């Protein structure tokens, strides 16, 4: 699922935004900047836990264009629930921070990005988190409507439930189509079976969004770092050999508590 998500994002969605010269959030790695532009933007905000997304918006506000280079960055995907939920919590919290910071002056933001860029910012940065927050509520409401329509056997109730279910399925189909397009371009259709789990994945994303919202209120600058080097194919695991002991440098060993976990090869991109 992580591979499909990254393939759709970096090989389809972000290149599309770049082709239309629209503002886009940067990825966390493989970014290339002109030093003068980076200094002009003020570089990274040390208080934003998704400083890359925030920087991408500030670059767009200054009138610069961001392009996507057709290259690959391999990223080790969290293979357990706890590290994954912490990572997604941080991402959602950072996007909330980014939205609030840039919306301090909506009129200025609209003037700098234009109406189209302003709309993309609202849908992409604010809309992504909002959609995740309301998804679990939407599903709960839909289940209630389905149960009520079965017991009440009223045509109006059945029609309403079917209408809401149709919108929910449409969202799943759109996400699955994006992932399939990315996997097709990466020639990784063997991972496509995971997209059948999209409804479960969206519920987990909603859980991460709600966790991010509560954490933003209580501890907005907390950075839950993702531990890497756990997969069998990671470079840290390959280096986890005892170094020769010497008086100046004692022998050390990396702890590889997840040697049995496979490393998902996620599609990345350079900017």
């Amino acid at each position: 699922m992580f591979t499909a998500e990254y393939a759709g994002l970096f090989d389809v969605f972000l290149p599309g935004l770049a082709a239309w010269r629209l503002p886009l959030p940067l990825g966390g790695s493989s970014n290339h900047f002109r030093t003068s532009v980076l200094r002009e933007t003020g570089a990274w905000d040390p208080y934003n836990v998704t400083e890359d997304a925030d920087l991408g918006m500030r670059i767009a506000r200054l009138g610069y264009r961001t392009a996507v280079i057709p290259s690959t960055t391999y990223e080790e995907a969290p293979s357990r629930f706890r590290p994954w939920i912490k990572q997604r919590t941080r991402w959602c919290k950072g996007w909330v921070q980014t939205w609030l910071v840039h919306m301090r002056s909506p009129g200025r933001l609209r003037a700098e990005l234009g109406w189209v860029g302003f709309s993309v910012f609202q849908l992409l940065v604010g809309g992504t988190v909002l959609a995740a927050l309301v998804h679990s509520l939407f599903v709960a409401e839909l289940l209630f409507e389905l149960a009520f329509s079965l017991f009440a056997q009223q045509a109006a109730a059945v029609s309403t439930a079917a209408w809401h279910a149709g919108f929910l399925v449409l969202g799943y189909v759109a996400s699955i189509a994006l992932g399939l397009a990315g996997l097709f371009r990466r020639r990784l259709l063997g991972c496509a079976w995971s997209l059948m789990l999209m409804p479960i994945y969206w519920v987990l994303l909603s859980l991460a969004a709600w966790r991010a919202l509560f954490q933003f209120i209580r501890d907005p600058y907390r950075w839950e770092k993702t531990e890497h080097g756990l997969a069998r194919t990671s470079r840290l695991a390959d280096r986890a050999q005892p170094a020769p002991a010497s008086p100046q440098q004692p022998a050390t060993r990396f702890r590889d508590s997840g040697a049995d976990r496979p490393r998902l090869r996620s599609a990345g991109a350079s900017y």
Side-chain angles (χ1 to χ4, degrees):
M1 181 64 76
F2 201 103
T3 301
E5 186 178 41
Y6 263 42
L9 178 66
F10 287 105
D11 286 343
V12 182
F13 191 70
L14 293 185
L17 292 178
W20 286 92
R21 298 182 177 236
L22 296 173
L24 55 89
L26 300 177
S29 57
S30 297
N31 297 297
H32 303 267
F33 306 96
R34 294 185 184 274
T35 307
S36 59
V37 175
L38 187 59
R39 288 172 176 165
E40 183 181 355
T41 61
W44 291 270
D45 180 359
Y47 296 99
N48 192 317
V49 296
T50 54
E51 75 293 341
D52 41 12
D54 170 66
L55 180 59
M57 294 301 131
R58 282 190 278 126
I59 289 174
R61 294 185 67 170
L62 288 173
Y64 293 104
R65 179 189 175 193
T66 303
V68 179
I69 301 173
S71 66
T72 299
T73 298
Y74 293 102
E75 180 175 343
E76 182 182 347
S79 58
R80 292 186 177 182
F81 176 73
R82 187 176 180 83
W84 180 87
I85 198 72
K86 288 183 177 181
Q87 182 189 65
R88 293 311 168 103
T89 296
R90 176 168 58 84
W91 290 359
C92 289
K93 183 172 68 172
W95 283 42
V96 171
Q97 291 174 325
T98 300
W99 188 86
L100 289 174
V101 166
H102 288 274
M103 283 296 290
R104 287 173 177 171
S105 179
R108 180 180 175 184
L109 179 64
R110 199 279 311 162
E112 292 174 346
L113 294 181
W115 279 111
V116 177
F118 182 79
S119 300
V120 169
F121 173 80
Q122 301 300 330
L123 292 172
L124 185 60
V125 178
T128 297
V129 180
L130 180 61
L133 287 172
V134 302
H135 180 71
S136 55
L137 303 178
F138 188 93
V139 171
E141 180 189 4
L142 176 61
L143 293 177
F144 174 80
E145 289 177 351
L146 290 173
F148 178 78
S149 63
L150 289 176
F151 284 102
Q153 295 184 353
Q154 296 179 358
V158 174
S159 178
T160 301
W163 182 257
H164 288 177
F167 273 107
L168 186 65
V169 172
L170 183 62
Y172 292 147
V173 170
S175 294
I176 290 173
L178 181 63
L180 280 175
L183 291 175
F184 177 78
R185 293 191 178 189
R186 283 275 159 178
R187 299 181 181 179
L188 294 173
L189 288 177
C191 300
W193 63 268
S194 63
L195 294 171
M196 300 300 296
L197 302 175
M198 189 66 71
I200 299 175
Y201 193 63
W202 274 28
V203 172
L204 296 179
L205 287 174
S206 185
L207 175 62
W210 281 104
R211 187 172 182 268
L213 184 61
F214 288 122
Q215 195 177 103
F216 175 76
I217 297 173
R218 299 187 59 184
D219 196 0
Y221 307 124
R222 181 183 179 185
W223 188 295
E224 292 181 308
K225 294 185 177 180
T226 305
E227 185 179 4
H228 293 291
L230 302 177
R232 183 176 300 171
T233 54
S234 73
R235 294 182 179 181
L236 287 180
D238 293 339
R239 296 174 184 172
Q241 301 295 331
S246 64
Q248 292 78 17
Q249 184 172 350
T252 59
R253 180 186 294 271
F254 288 101
R255 181 177 63 86
D256 187 12
S257 59
D260 58 333
R261 279 173 267 173
R263 178 175 180 265
L264 296 183
R265 300 174 60 185
S266 301
S270 299
Y271 296 87

